[in-house]
Amino acid sequence: MNNASKAPAGPDVAGESRDGDSSPGEPPPGEFSPRWLAGSIVLAGLLPAGLVFACYLQQGFVPAGRCATALVMPISLVWIGLLVVTIWNAGLGRFRSACIAFGLFAAWSILGNGAFNQALISWVEAPLVADPHPEFERWTELPAGYPGNLPIDAAVTLGGSAGLALEDFEEVYSEGERIVSAAQAYHSGMTKTIITTGTSSDGIGNPSEVGRELLVSLGVPDEAIFSIEGENTTQEMASLAAFLDNPPQEWLDQVGPDAREQPTVGVITSAFHIPRAIRLASNNGLDLIPLPCAYRNDQTERPFLASNLVPNADAHVLFGLSMKEIMAWVLGR
């Protein structure tokens, strides 16, 4: 007759859930679920599988294989991982976390997208001159708006395009088109001399010296090459101003005495770097002819391919280059 000994009515402590919405054996909303994690991975995997299949339908096996390769690269794995986290959190009812993860997924999709970064770098780069010829080393005359005649007195090729792979072993970097274009400009008769620039902060492999060696290997006479110092573009332009203010006699012997008063000088550098180079030249009282090369903005018309949606390292490189130049412009450098 002891009623106190009776247990109160309620859920069984043996494992019955207090949440009426949860099925037996399943965790309540918000708790870790290995089964749902696996399901999130499968659902997210539909995106890369669909992209590979779409590439196959568009252009065949080889583009599909390239798309699959791009999808297993670290940048793409982060992209897919963010989608997994989005689906997983949404399935567990963590909608705030799901929105944050989806925002990161969307940002990664845009910042790693080739088309977006092509548009961004095209805004940063100097415009491609179509007249008299897209390749400046094939100019037969100066473009409208630039006084003077060809050949110009000097083409300044900025450093940062080459270095030492080993001691006494010079190689061009990704910006090596600066060296090649300078050599082409000389051999085509567009410029009388070339001025290389750049000083390494550690004194090893000075870009001006490496540039000279590579130009000589490309058939440019050593006596037609002159070098100036500078650890960055600001210092290089200050050195160039000092060089032209008091040019060495050896240079005047090559270009003629008239160059002492009003030299015609162009600057060869990557297209994305031209605006900053011209701006810094102007700060030093120099009026240089821009000679852009190594364009990153691919203006060739190509059909859309599903793999274009996959974030990639090259697109991130373009984004970094663009932001570097934008920040330099904001800071007045």
Side-chain angles (χ1 to χ4, degrees), residues 156-161 178 195 197 233 236-237 267-269 273 277:
V156 180
T157 179
L158 296 187
S161 62
R178 301 180 190 180
I195 300 175
T197 74
T233 309
E236 288 171 328
M237 289 304 167
V267 56
I268 299 174
T269 189
H273 190 231

Side-chain angles (χ1 to χ4, degrees), residues 110-122 315-316 318-320 322:
I110 295 171
L111 298 182
N113 181 265
F116 170 79
N117 286 290
Q118 283 284 329
L120 185 62
I121 198 71
S122 69
H316 278 277
L318 289 181
F319 181 76
S322 300

Side-chain angles (χ1 to χ4, degrees), residues 35-49:
R35 186 168 63 179
W36 178 239
L37 178 59
S40 300
I41 294 173
V42 172
L43 288 174
L46 295 176
L47 173 62

Side-chain angles (χ1 to χ4, degrees), residues 72-117:
V72 298
M73 295 295 104
I75 287 177
S76 300
L77 292 178
V78 171
W79 182 57
I80 298 169
L82 289 170
L83 183 58
V84 171
V85 174
T86 299
I87 297 172
W88 181 51
N89 277 291
L92 294 178
R94 300 171 179 169
F95 296 112
R96 182 179 179 184
S97 298
C99 288
I100 293 173
F102 182 75
L104 293 173
F105 170 78
W108 201 256
S109 301
I110 295 171
L111 298 182
N113 181 265
F116 170 79
N117 286 290

Side-chain angles (χ1 to χ4, degrees), residues 221-240:
D222 186 68
E223 60 270 18
I225 306 171
F226 297 81
S227 301
I228 58 177
E229 299 179 344
E231 293 186 15
N232 56 30
T233 309
T234 300
Q235 294 182 13
E236 288 171 328
M237 289 304 167
S239 295
L240 179 59

Side-chain angles (χ1 to χ4, degrees), residues 51 55 58 67 79 109 112-116 302-312 315:
L51 292 174
C55 284
Q58 286 178 302
C67 181
W79 182 57
S109 301
N113 181 265
F116 170 79
R302 291 186 173 87
F304 173 80
L305 197 61
S307 58
N308 295 347
L309 298 175
V310 181
N312 60 83

Side-chain angles (χ1 to χ4, degrees), residues 11-324:
D12 188 351
V13 295
E16 200 173 309
S17 173
R18 294 177 183 271
D19 190 341
D21 295 333
S22 299
S23 301
E26 289 189 1
E31 292 190 9
F32 176 76
S33 168
R35 186 168 63 179
W36 178 239
L37 178 59
S40 300
I41 294 173
V42 172
L43 288 174
L46 295 176
L47 173 62
L51 292 174
V52 172
F53 183 64
C55 284
Y56 176 77
L57 293 179
Q58 286 178 302
Q59 294 186 4
F61 178 78
V62 173
R66 290 172 180 161
C67 181
T69 301
L71 284 163
V72 298
M73 295 295 104
I75 287 177
S76 300
L77 292 178
V78 171
W79 182 57
I80 298 169
L82 289 170
L83 183 58
V84 171
V85 174
T86 299
I87 297 172
W88 181 51
N89 277 291
L92 294 178
R94 300 171 179 169
F95 296 112
R96 182 179 179 184
S97 298
C99 288
I100 293 173
F102 182 75
L104 293 173
F105 170 78
W108 201 256
S109 301
I110 295 171
L111 298 182
N113 181 265
F116 170 79
N117 286 290
Q118 283 284 329
L120 185 62
I121 198 71
S122 69
W123 181 73
V124 171
E125 283 186 336
L128 182 65
V129 176
D131 185 26
H133 195 281
E135 297 176 72
F136 71 80
E137 62 270 17
R138 295 173 64 181
W139 289 356
T140 56
E141 58 182 349
L142 291 175
Y146 296 106
N149 300 305
L150 295 179
I152 60 176
D153 296 318
V156 180
T157 179
L158 296 187
S161 62
L164 294 177
L166 291 171
E167 188 175 357
D168 295 329
F169 179 31
E170 302 86 1
E171 280 196 331
V172 295
Y173 298 148
S174 58
E175 305 304 321
E177 178 61 30
R178 301 180 190 180
I179 296 293
V180 175
S181 291
Q184 289 176 320
Y186 179 84
H187 290 306
S188 68
M190 187 195 148
T191 183
K192 300 174 185 176
T193 63
I194 297 173
I195 300 175
T196 61
T197 74
T199 306
S200 174
S201 58
D202 57 16
I204 300 174
N206 289 323
S208 58
E209 299 169 2
V210 173
R212 175 187 288 271
E213 294 296 326
L214 289 168
L215 286 168
V216 169
S217 73
L218 293 171
V220 180
D222 186 68
E223 60 270 18
I225 306 171
F226 297 81
S227 301
I228 58 177
E229 299 179 344
E231 293 186 15
N232 56 30
T233 309
T234 300
Q235 294 182 13
E236 288 171 328
M237 289 304 167
S239 295
L240 179 59
F243 178 95
L244 296 175
D245 222 25
N246 186 25
Q249 188 59 47
E250 295 86 354
W251 184 71
L252 291 175
D253 290 342
Q254 299 238 16
V255 300
D258 293 341
R260 181 186 293 275
E261 298 300 326
Q262 195 171 3
T264 306
V265 179
V267 56
I268 299 174
T269 189
S270 305
F272 73 84
H273 190 231
I274 278 287
R276 176 152 53 118
I278 295 298
R279 185 170 62 250
L280 294 175
S282 179
N283 292 344
N284 285 275
L286 300 173
D287 184 16
L288 303 183
I289 301 170
L291 305 175
C293 65
Y295 279 86
R296 297 303 210 290
N297 178 27
D298 185 357
Q299 300 183 29
T300 306
E301 292 290 336
R302 291 186 173 87
F304 173 80
L305 197 61
S307 58
N308 295 347
L309 298 175
V310 181
N312 60 83
D314 290 339
H316 278 277
V317 169
L318 289 181
F319 181 76
L321 291 174
S322 300
M323 292 307 300
K324 180 180 178 182

